[in-house]
Amino acid sequence: MTRLADHKTEAILLRCVDIGETDRIVHLFTPDLGRVTAMAKSARKSVKRFPGTLDLMNHLQVDLQIRPQRMTYIGRGKLISPFLELRAVPSRFALGCYLVELLGRLAPEGGAGGDSRRLFDFTLGAMHSIENLDPGPKLRMFLMLESLCALGLRPELRHCVRCGTELAGGDAFAFHFGEGGAHCGGCKREDGSSVPIHLGTLRLLEQGLHFGIDKLDRLQIPTREMREAEQLVGRFHRFHVGLELRSEAFLAEAFATHARGGANPA
Ligand SMILES: [Zn+2]
């Protein structure tokens, strides 16, 4: 049996399932191997090897024992950050759950090029933003959009995806989900796979992506543009993710409660 040396890596815990009396299967996202499924033997009784580490959303240092064609095992895990602020408020926690579930669904296995590293760095940055920013609809919308961008699904917001013209002027535009971008007035079709969109909304989405999640507080979005943008991002997300994520219902409930509490919505 070929046995490779332990592989030390950082990881974010995306999901875990308890097996038998003491074991735990964990789904990790790592910067060098992408998504990894591993068995943590005796995880629930070994305080020495896993001192409070193997919980959802934790940022960890792990030793992986990787053998070809065999189950991967975790030798030990060390906690880097539990993102405590993210766990203290339901709407922040719901955003974190959404992010790790999305990665569990769409993040690639294997660490091709620098893609996994970039996605890992994006994820850590997003977790810190969820801890620190107002957990309102603006953060939720840009978290969805930026996560899809980080997964390689960036929508075209500046040019028509059909003819390449830069969108400008007061024309009525549309966003086509299958083609992943905006249509100019001449190219748009009324076929149910696109939605009408104003240029101002496209510009605000582009500006938000340019700022990045951590600087979203610089961006003011009027009510009409916010409504359009939420519809666009929601359908774009559904188009690429397919079935509803389990965290989405929790996210909707946490945000409804947050709004009823009178907190600033955007
Ligand atoms: Zn066009």
Side-chain angles (χ1 to χ4, degrees):
M1 180 177 69
T2 310
R3 163 83 192 263
L4 301 183
D6 282 2
H7 181 90
K8 291 182 190 302
T9 183
E10 283 179 75
I12 292 169
L13 201 149
L14 304 179
R15 187 166 164 247
C16 48
V17 181
D18 288 342
I19 303 288
E21 293 289 311
T22 61
D23 300 340
R24 184 168 282 179
I25 299 265
V26 294
H27 299 256
L28 303 169
F29 184 63
T30 69
D32 44 358
L33 301 171
R35 209 153 37 88
V36 175
T37 300
M39 167 71 86
K41 294 293 284 180
S42 305
R44 285 138 66 206
K45 68 175 184 186
S46 177
V47 178
K48 189 174 167 207
R49 284 166 54 229
F50 303 107
T53 51
L54 297 183
D55 286 325
L56 190 67
M57 291 188 272
N58 277 353
H59 179 200
L60 309 169
Q61 180 79 39
V62 291
D63 294 352
L64 297 176
Q65 295 155 3
I66 302 170
R67 288 169 288 185
Q69 312 300 322
R70 299 284 298 274
M71 167 81 79
T72 295
Y73 287 88
I74 302 188
R76 61 175 60 231
K78 184 167 161 255
L79 186 63
I80 297 174
S81 171
F83 298 109
L84 284 179
E85 293 297 319
L86 188 149
R87 295 167 198 275
V89 177
S91 47
R92 293 189 202 281
F93 185 68
L95 288 168
C97 288
Y98 163 78
L99 181 58
V100 293
E101 191 181 358
L102 185 70
L103 287 173
R105 183 78 70 89
L106 294 186
E109 291 179 325
D115 289 352
S116 289
R117 175 84 250 177
R118 276 192 293 278
L119 188 54
F120 189 84
D121 290 343
F122 162 79
T123 305
L124 282 187
M127 299 288 249
H128 286 298
S129 294
I130 295 169
E131 282 194 299
N132 294 315
L133 299 182
D134 173 43
K138 189 168 66 176
L139 178 60
R140 174 175 59 176
M141 180 175 76
F142 275 101
L143 179 69
M144 292 170 94
L145 185 59
E146 288 211 24
S147 301
L148 292 171
C149 291
L151 286 158
L153 300 166
R154 190 185 187 90
E156 174 58 57
L157 302 169
R158 177 160 286 269
H159 299 90
C160 173
V161 282
R162 283 251 170 105
C163 70
T165 309
E166 182 165 352
L167 304 172
D171 225 353
F173 304 111
F175 186 91
H176 194 284
F177 298 101
E179 294 179 22
H183 280 169
C184 70
C187 293
K188 70 175 178 164
R189 301 282 177 270
E190 307 284 343
D191 61 2
S193 49
S194 57
V195 287
I197 194 91
H198 288 90
L199 185 63
T201 306
L202 294 170
R203 290 281 188 267
L204 281 164
L205 286 171
E206 204 181 11
Q207 207 176 0
L209 289 177
H210 176 72
F211 285 156
I213 289 183
D214 57 326
K215 298 186 185 67
L216 272 187
D217 47 359
R218 293 186 190 173
L219 191 69
Q220 297 299 321
I221 308 182
T223 306
R224 184 191 75 172
E225 282 77 2
M226 186 68 192
R227 224 177 13 243
E228 268 193 2
E230 284 187 305
Q231 187 193 14
L232 187 156
V233 172
R235 280 191 61 181
F236 187 62
H237 173 270
R238 177 72 58 244
F239 182 86
H240 286 291
V241 177
L243 293 174
E244 186 170 276
L245 300 177
R246 284 170 303 152
S247 56
E248 285 183 68
F250 174 39
L251 194 57
E253 174 60 26
F255 269 70
T257 306
H258 183 79
R260 282 198 297 274
N264 179 9

